[in-house]
């Protein structure tokens, strides 16, 4: 098997040569941020938006990492054969050579990136998108979910709960209101209107979520950012989840109950068509 190339602290090296300090704060404390960015046919999809969110997370944690991210990530994709790849980029605060909750503001960050193959969702067509089943579970996460940090233990726990229930996603609820999925944003459709939880510290501002809202606005589909409780979720005409590598996916069942008639909805099909057109225009532009 061909060894993958990764990026670590300014160097492109074979993955088995990549090493970090055991005192790295990302390893010890989860004191780090990340992004997952899809590349289709070697081109970054919503790359600017991902990098803007990365900078937001870095500023929020006061981590200073100045790199030419576009050049680095594009070259990393090329070194791994191009095509359809997901790039994982992680930046930790770095290592001080010992374990301490207190950190030096001048620490040198640890920067790591790697690639994994993904499918071109948009090229495959809507019939290839399988709807998912989900459960609703308590949101166990901290109070700054708007920062894309690597502290994902609560997400792991609820995804394991979903797996044990035989479903593919966990939708999280806090103080009686839905926030998002363990690895995705949440939307529902009621009488032709797309509803999604309000932006705030309780959810991550997903790049795909924002694209859905943009495409809806451009094509006359009404949207609202609102509080969504369990009753509203369970009575929806359609429920969707969205993420960078999965695009927009219909949820067909929640807590053992079908969403509407249990099939992919017509507005989801329309949104998938708009996504496909958007992606093709980018790739061919």
């Amino acid at each position: 098997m061909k060894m993958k190339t990764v990026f670590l602290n300014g160097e492109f090296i074979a993955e088995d040569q990549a090493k970090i300090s055991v005192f790295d704060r990302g390893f010890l404390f989860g004191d780090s941020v990340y992004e997952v960015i899809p590349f289709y046919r070697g081109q970054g999809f919503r790359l600017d938006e991902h990098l803007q969110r990365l900078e937001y997370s870095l500023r929020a944690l006061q981590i200073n990492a100045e790199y030419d991210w576009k050049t680095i990530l594009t070259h990393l994709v090329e070194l791994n054969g191009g095509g359809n790849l997901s790039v994982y980029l992680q930046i930790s605060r770095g290592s001080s050579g010992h374990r301490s909750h207190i950190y030096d503001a001048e620490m040198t960050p640890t920067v790591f990136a790697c690639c994994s193959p993904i499918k071109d969702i948009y090229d495959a067509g809507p019939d290839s998108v399988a709807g998912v089943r989900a459960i609703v579970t308590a949101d166990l996460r901290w109070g700054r979910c708007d920062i894309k940090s690597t502290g994902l233990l609560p997400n792991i726990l609820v995804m394991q709960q979903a797996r044990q229930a035989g479903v593919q996603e966990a939708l999280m609820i806090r103080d009686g209101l839905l926030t998002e999925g363990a690895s995705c944003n949440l939307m529902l459709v009621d009488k032709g209107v797309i509803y999604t939880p309000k932006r705030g510290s309780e959810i991550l501002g997903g790049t795909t979520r924002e694209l859905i809202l943009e495409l809806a606005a451009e094509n006359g589909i009404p949207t609202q950012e609102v509080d969504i409780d369990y009753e509203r979720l369970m009575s929806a005409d359609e429920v969707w989840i969205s993420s960078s590598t999965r695009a927009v996916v219909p949820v067909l069942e929640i807590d053992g109950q079908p969403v509407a008639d249990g099939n992919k909805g017509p507005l989801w099909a329309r949104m998938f068509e708009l996504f496909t057109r958007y992606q093709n225009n980018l790739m061919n532009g």
Side-chain angles (χ1 to χ4, degrees):
M1 181 181 296
K2 184 179 178 181
M3 192 69 64
K4 295 178 184 177
T5 299
V6 302
F7 178 84
L8 181 63
N9 296 334
E11 295 185 278
F12 296 95
I13 56 178
E15 59 183 342
D16 64 346
Q17 300 301 307
K19 296 176 174 60
I20 66 167
S21 168
V22 294
F23 295 109
D24 189 273
R25 293 181 62 87
F27 173 68
L28 292 176
F29 299 117
D31 187 1
S32 48
V33 302
Y34 76 102
E35 283 291 330
V36 178
I37 307 168
F39 276 68
Y40 297 113
R41 303 173 219 170
Q43 297 184 50
F45 187 73
R46 304 285 282 183
L47 180 56
D48 287 340
E49 288 78 5
H50 279 280
L51 295 180
Q52 288 166 11
R53 185 172 64 183
L54 174 69
E55 293 299 333
Y56 172 86
S57 296
L58 289 170
R59 287 195 305 272
L61 296 187
Q62 298 181 335
I63 297 175
N64 183 27
E66 295 184 5
Y67 282 80
D68 183 351
W69 300 118
K70 282 188 181 181
T71 299
I72 290 168
L73 300 184
T74 301
H75 187 47
L76 181 63
V77 167
E78 292 170 353
L79 292 174
N80 283 280
N84 303 324
L85 294 171
S86 171
V87 176
Y88 176 82
L89 171 62
Q90 177 174 314
I91 303 153
S92 85
R93 198 176 303 277
S95 170
S96 60
H98 61 280
R99 184 183 184 279
S100 172
H101 286 72
I102 300 170
Y103 63 85
D104 182 348
E106 303 304 318
M107 290 176 65
T108 301
T110 299
V111 179
F112 170 73
C114 62
C115 296
S116 301
I118 55 171
K119 293 191 304 181
D120 186 341
I121 305 160
Y122 311 100
D123 190 49
D127 291 342
S128 69
V129 179
V132 301
R133 295 179 296 150
I135 58 171
V136 174
T137 186
D139 192 338
L140 307 175
R141 301 170 302 163
W142 71 318
R144 289 300 308 275
C145 299
D146 55 314
I147 299 171
K148 196 169 177 69
S149 79
T150 59
L152 296 175
L153 182 57
N155 306 63
I156 291 168
L157 292 176
V158 297
M159 278 303 292
Q160 184 63 18
Q161 184 179 344
R163 182 180 181 184
Q164 290 170 347
V167 302
Q168 295 79 44
E169 188 57 66
L171 306 177
M172 295 182 286
I173 192 166
R174 178 183 296 184
D175 298 328
L177 299 176
L178 275 295
T179 51
E180 56 192 338
S183 58
C184 55
N185 287 118
L186 170 68
M187 298 193 170
L188 63 82
V189 176
D190 185 25
K191 297 179 177 60
V193 180
I194 300 171
Y195 296 93
T196 190
K198 298 175 183 177
R199 281 287 299 269
S201 60
E202 297 83 7
I203 73 167
L204 180 71
T207 58
T208 304
R209 173 189 183 275
E210 298 307 311
L211 179 55
I212 290 172
L213 297 178
E214 288 175 22
L215 292 175
E218 291 169 4
N219 290 275
I221 302 170
T223 64
Q224 291 187 34
E225 297 185 57
V226 298
D227 292 334
I228 297 173
D229 60 18
Y230 186 79
E231 182 179 1
R232 190 170 197 174
L233 174 74
M234 299 300 286
S235 63
D237 297 328
E238 300 181 35
V239 176
W240 309 342
I241 56 174
S242 65
S243 70
S244 294
T245 55
R246 291 186 288 177
V248 55
V249 179
V251 179
L252 307 183
E253 178 187 292
I254 301 172
D255 286 346
Q257 301 298 314
V259 175
D261 63 2
N263 295 308
K264 302 174 189 177
L267 194 52
W268 171 82
R270 172 65 173 149
M271 184 56 65
F272 189 88
E273 175 191 353
L274 295 175
F275 260 75
T276 302
R277 186 185 308 161
Y278 176 88
Q279 195 253 17
N280 286 336
N281 287 341
L282 283 183
M283 298 301 103
N284 299 325

